Amino acid sequence: GFSLSDGLEGDNYFYNIGGGYDGKNFSVYTNFAGIGDNYFADMGWIPSAEQYDAVRDTSIHIGFHHWYTRMNYTLFPKDQSKVNAHIFGLRQVLDVDNSFDFLQQRIIAGYTLSKANTSGLMLEYTHEEKNLLFPFDFTDGEPLPAGRYSFDYAEIGYQSDRRAYFTWAGGLQYGSFYNGTRLQTTLELAYRVQPWGNFGLNFVYNKLEFPDPYGAENLLLLSPRFEVNFTRNLFWTTFLQFNTQNDNFNINSRLQWRYKPMSDLFIVYTDNYAVEMWGPKNRALVLKLNYWLNL
């Protein structure tokens, strides 16, 4: 594919190709993708394309090539009354720029215990390498210097029975992070009220510690979510997010009326507040109408 931008010519390509094999016990998948230096996704966002420079407080757009591979080997017990499967996995992600200079790499080895009651346990170990093209700040201290960093971390996660009215999932991650350390805890709570409602709460906490003079930071992300079905054709969804990293409180509320099959009217209200000053950053009310035309 290609993108067209005023004043830019050449290096505006996009490509994506992949393939794999799925057997009873063994599966493998690999994918190659990339963009040119002048490819811009005006209707979306491409990870790794925008490199932030903390010193100049600006983002630099670059093209890159991306290679992703995963391999899984699954063991199925003869007695599956309690355990469905033991899954051993390996994933690799590699990004290079358009001069084939190294950008980043992740190698992840993992194990998943899948139980018959739909609950599960996950263990992962990750080795990551990152080439910071520009200084980057995670804290109020000095930005981390540009350069190549190598770090490792481990993670454990659990998912409860997904069939229950009340479900929860949690995780703990700890290890090195650039030239410091990171402790991350996650918790997801969900409650389903048949047949009219779903309520959820996501919690993410990160404790970052770096050597002097790069500082330390405690980051909190809190995200409640409410889904209410008034009738079979009228739905209301509200999503709230409190983010200490961006000093931001966000509200997104959507009313959906399905006035005929595959045709919807949406009314969406969004509001962003600066938490410290408790003042609005931006606010919008959007009306969207979809009509399904069947020829």
Side-chain angles (χ1 to χ4, degrees):
F2 296 91
S3 71
L4 300 177
S5 301
D6 292 339
L8 297 176
E9 295 183 2
D11 290 332
N12 60 344
Y13 61 85
F14 163 79
Y15 71 91
N16 186 9
I17 185 172
Y21 166 81
D22 287 310
K24 179 181 178 181
N25 298 104
F26 178 75
S27 66
V28 61
Y29 173 81
T30 191
N31 167 259
F32 294 92
I35 63 171
D37 291 333
N38 291 330
Y39 182 91
F40 289 86
D42 293 330
M43 299 298 291
W45 177 73
I46 301 176
S48 301
E50 302 297 329
Q51 299 284 328
Y52 179 68
D53 184 343
V55 173
R56 292 183 290 172
D57 190 25
T58 188
S59 292
I60 311 299
H61 184 87
I62 66 168
F64 64 93
H65 302 282
H66 172 83
W67 179 31
Y68 169 79
T69 301
R70 64 157 175 82
M71 293 183 290
N72 287 336
Y73 185 77
T74 304
L75 293 176
F76 298 97
K78 292 182 178 180
D79 180 7
Q80 294 186 317
S81 59
K82 293 184 178 181
V83 176
N84 270 346
H86 302 275
I87 306 170
F88 302 88
L90 185 66
R91 305 194 305 275
Q92 179 261 352
V93 180
L94 174 65
D95 290 344
V96 298
D97 67 16
N98 284 329
S99 297
F100 294 96
D101 291 326
F102 178 84
L103 291 176
Q104 63 182 354
Q105 178 177 238
R106 289 195 308 276
I107 300 174
I108 305 138
Y111 163 74
T112 300
L113 173 66
S114 177
K115 301 190 69 176
N117 65 358
T118 73
S119 66
L121 177 70
M122 179 271 293
L123 301 171
E124 283 190 348
Y125 183 87
T126 301
H127 172 74
E128 187 164 348
E129 296 180 53
K130 178 78 173 183
N131 183 20
L132 278 184
L133 301 181
F134 310 100
F136 193 91
D137 56 345
F138 293 96
T139 72
D140 292 331
E142 291 290 324
L144 296 182
R148 187 159 174 167
Y149 294 83
S150 177
F151 46 98
D152 301 85
Y153 49 91
E155 181 178 2
I156 181 172
Y158 178 78
Q159 169 67 59
S160 70
D161 187 344
R162 299 175 186 269
R163 303 169 302 178
Y165 291 125
F166 174 76
T167 63
W168 69 276
L172 178 66
Q173 182 188 105
Y174 181 76
S176 54
F177 185 67
Y178 290 85
N179 62 352
T181 62
R182 176 176 63 178
L183 170 67
Q184 181 186 85
T185 59
T186 61
L187 180 64
E188 298 179 15
L189 305 175
Y191 184 69
R192 185 174 74 253
V193 183
Q194 295 283 57
W196 59 270
N198 288 290
F199 306 92
L201 176 65
N202 290 349
F203 170 89
V204 180
Y205 169 75
N206 280 280
K207 182 179 179 64
L208 306 179
E209 294 183 322
F210 300 98
D212 290 335
Y214 308 115
E217 194 72 63
N218 295 314
L219 304 176
L220 174 65
L221 179 67
L222 194 63
S223 306
R225 183 181 181 92
F226 312 91
E227 298 180 4
V228 177
N229 303 326
F230 297 108
T231 68
R232 292 185 178 181
N233 300 312
L234 186 62
F235 321 104
W236 176 49
T237 301
T238 296
F239 173 79
L240 311 175
Q241 186 180 81
F242 171 60
N243 187 339
T244 60
Q245 184 175 19
N246 296 327
D247 184 41
N248 189 74
F249 180 73
N250 174 257
I251 302 172
N252 183 285
S253 189
R254 184 186 71 185
L255 185 67
Q256 176 185 357
W257 174 37
R258 176 149 291 185
Y259 58 90
K260 62 179 297 184
M262 303 300 293
S263 301
D264 300 277
L265 173 69
F266 298 94
I267 301 176
V268 182
Y269 174 75
T270 60
D271 213 334
N272 282 280
Y273 285 89
V275 176
E276 185 174 339
M277 302 300 294
W278 198 246
K281 296 180 180 179
N282 54 71
R283 181 178 292 152
L285 182 65
V286 178
L287 179 68
K288 178 181 177 181
L289 180 67
N290 288 344
Y291 181 80
W292 177 260
L293 182 62
N294 189 354
L295 300 179

